[in-house]
Amino acid sequence: MILEHFFQCPYCWEEISMILDMSVSETYIEDCEVCCNPIQLTTNFENNELIAFEAKNIEQ
C-alpha cells in the first residue's frame, strides 16, 4: 500500500508531498521538489497506519 503525505520542507518551508510505502518503516534521503535540497525522511508505520514522520534538513 502507498500513502501520499504532505509536509513542510525544512529549507524553503513550501508544502510538498511524498508517496510513502506503507509496508516498510525507513529512513532515507530525498530532494525537495521545490528547492532541490536534500531532506532526511523517517517514517514509521504500524498496522498500515503512519504513526511517526520526520522531515529534517541535512546540515551541509
Side-chain angles (χ1 to χ4, degrees):
M1 292 179 75
I2 61 169
L3 169 71
E4 182 177 20
H5 184 71
F6 293 87
F7 63 97
Q8 198 170 44
C9 172
Y11 296 97
C12 67
W13 305 109
E14 291 291 326
E15 182 178 63
I16 58 175
S17 70
M18 295 283 175
I19 302 297
L20 306 176
D21 181 355
M22 297 172 67
S23 67
V24 61
S25 296
E26 61 186 343
T27 297
Y28 62 99
I29 308 288
E30 189 151 333
D31 291 342
C32 172
E33 60 191 37
V34 177
C35 69
C36 299
N37 283 303
I39 305 169
Q40 180 177 313
L41 301 169
T42 302
T43 61
N44 194 353
F45 291 95
E46 192 172 286
N47 297 322
N48 289 328
E49 187 175 321
L50 182 63
I51 60 171
F53 179 88
E54 181 181 32
K56 66 181 190 176
N57 66 21
I58 299 171
E59 300 296 327
Q60 293 191 26

